[in-house]
Amino acid sequence: MTQDPRVLLQKADKLLSSASGGMSWFGGRTEKYEAAADMYTQAANAFRVQKMNKEAGQTFEKAASIQTQHLNEPDDAANLLQDAFKVYRKSDPEDAARVLSAAINHYVLRGNLRRAATQQQYLAELYEVELGDMKRALDAYEKAAEWFESDNAEALANKHFLKVADLAALESDYYKSINNYERIARQSINNNLMKWSVKDYFLKAGICHLATKDFVETNRALESYREIDPTFSSTREYQLLADLLQAVEANDQEIFADKLFQFDQLSKLDKWKTTLLLRIKNSIEEAEEDFS
């Protein structure tokens, strides 16, 4: 049977009070702080079992504070802050972001970039999913990618740079997206495991080029994609981009929609592509209205 977390919390408070007060000539203060931290951790886990997430998070933070301020155990404190993050995430996402950011900062100062990057990924997911804050999510994914890259984890870095590209495009930062898609495509072209994804990276970069409404640069981009991957010109992805560019330059939304429909019959367009392509289609309608 799980103990009452409130009783455990009271015991932890008494242990902390005992360690903080009184004479220290006879030693034992460190042991008292250790016992208090352990009791707070037990109380936090008991709160967690009862799904009292806010109380659990606050109690993990108390244990972490003892590890930092009194026991000089920042590694243990960071682990406790990660536990606080896990419970706060379900009920108090801003608090979750705060405690995980503190843990990440510790790992960075320790030079543990791989662990910092992994936790930064969780922070990015929190911003994106629980908080719906795309700007903070984008910044966090980018930082995770850079740290993975610094730790020579190229595959993990590219995974997160692609996430940055996806989010940046949705936030209308098309040039950031283009730079990431094109860079990863160039890196992937000679990788037997990655080269099959190159045509999709070029397709997404091409869609972003169309969204910028800079059709001269879009033409140049398509030429460069053919040079980087000579097989690209024979793909359905290349043909779609060429057809869409022609439709946009002609301000012909019917051809634009028809080419998309034909492509979608064989290769289902995902939500990201649909969102961006709808923006481009709407820009054709706006151009027609301005012209008329």
Side-chain angles (χ1 to χ4, degrees):
M1 184 176 174
T2 306
Q3 286 185 272
D4 185 338
R6 293 176 187 80
V7 173
L8 294 173
L9 185 60
Q10 287 178 349
K11 289 181 180 179
D13 287 339
K14 287 180 181 177
L15 284 167
L16 179 59
S17 179
S18 173
S20 302
M23 302 296 184
S24 60
W25 297 321
F26 302 106
R29 179 166 287 184
T30 296
E31 288 79 4
K32 288 180 180 179
Y33 279 124
E34 289 173 347
D38 183 62
M39 190 60 67
Y40 277 124
T41 303
Q42 289 183 45
N45 282 316
F47 279 126
R48 176 192 263 175
V49 169
Q50 295 193 10
K51 297 184 178 179
M52 300 174 70
N53 295 318
K54 189 174 186 68
E55 291 82 356
Q58 290 171 336
T59 310
F60 276 127
E61 284 198 74
K62 288 181 179 179
S65 178
I66 293 172
Q67 296 290 357
T68 301
Q69 295 179 23
H70 302 293
L71 297 174
N72 194 29
E73 293 288 352
D75 291 331
D76 290 339
N79 291 335
L80 287 163
L81 290 173
Q82 281 184 239
D83 287 332
F85 161 75
K86 291 172 186 175
V87 291
Y88 276 143
R89 183 170 189 170
K90 300 171 184 176
S91 58
D92 301 273
E94 283 289 359
D95 283 325
R98 174 178 55 79
V99 295
L100 189 59
S101 294
I104 291 167
N105 187 56
H106 165 71
Y107 298 133
V108 172
L109 291 174
R110 275 280 200 261
N112 192 342
L113 284 185
R114 176 63 67 91
R115 191 162 189 185
T118 300
Q119 299 306 315
Q120 186 74 11
Q121 172 190 334
Y122 297 144
L123 182 61
E125 291 168 355
L126 174 79
Y127 287 142
E128 180 185 7
V129 179
E130 276 82 4
L131 289 168
D133 188 332
M134 295 304 118
K135 185 181 186 309
R136 283 199 288 178
L138 200 159
D139 291 343
Y141 279 121
E142 190 163 33
K143 192 170 288 184
E146 290 168 354
W147 288 343
F148 278 125
E149 188 174 50
S150 295
D151 200 50
N152 297 316
E154 184 180 339
L156 287 169
N158 283 345
K159 173 186 172 184
H160 290 85
F161 279 128
L162 288 171
K163 186 70 178 180
V164 169
D166 287 348
L167 286 184
L170 294 174
E171 292 295 294
S172 301
D173 191 349
Y174 301 120
Y175 292 106
K176 179 187 281 286
S177 296
I178 290 165
N179 288 337
N180 279 288
Y181 290 134
E182 292 181 349
R183 181 167 57 84
I184 294 171
R186 284 191 291 270
Q187 289 176 7
S188 304
I189 195 66
N190 295 317
N191 184 317
N192 287 333
L193 294 175
M194 299 282 291
K195 65 182 181 181
W196 306 109
S197 300
V198 168
K199 63 183 181 180
D200 191 58
Y201 301 153
F202 282 154
L203 174 59
K204 294 175 96 170
I207 290 171
C208 289
H209 271 295
L210 287 171
T212 68
K213 303 178 185 177
D214 185 342
F215 306 133
V216 172
E217 190 57 39
T218 304
N219 264 307
R220 285 181 187 150
L222 292 182
E223 288 176 16
S224 72
Y225 300 164
R226 293 197 302 268
E227 291 172 5
I228 295 168
D229 179 7
T231 69
F232 184 59
S233 59
S234 64
T235 66
R236 296 183 68 250
E237 286 77 7
Y238 171 79
Q239 192 58 53
L240 176 65
L241 288 173
D243 289 341
L244 294 183
L245 176 58
Q246 192 172 23
V248 173
E249 287 180 316
N251 281 334
D252 194 326
Q253 59 176 310
E254 287 188 17
I255 291 179
F256 187 93
D258 183 57
K259 296 299 182 182
L260 283 182
F261 177 78
Q262 291 176 29
F263 183 89
D264 192 55
Q265 294 304 295
L266 295 175
S267 303
K268 200 68 180 172
L269 292 164
D270 60 32
K271 183 179 179 182
W272 183 94
K273 295 186 183 82
T274 302
T275 300
L276 270 291
L277 290 164
L278 183 60
R279 287 184 192 173
I280 298 165
K281 182 175 178 290
N282 289 340
S283 73
I284 297 175
E285 293 179 15
E286 290 167 6
E288 287 180 342
E289 289 171 5
D290 291 342
F291 185 75
S292 61

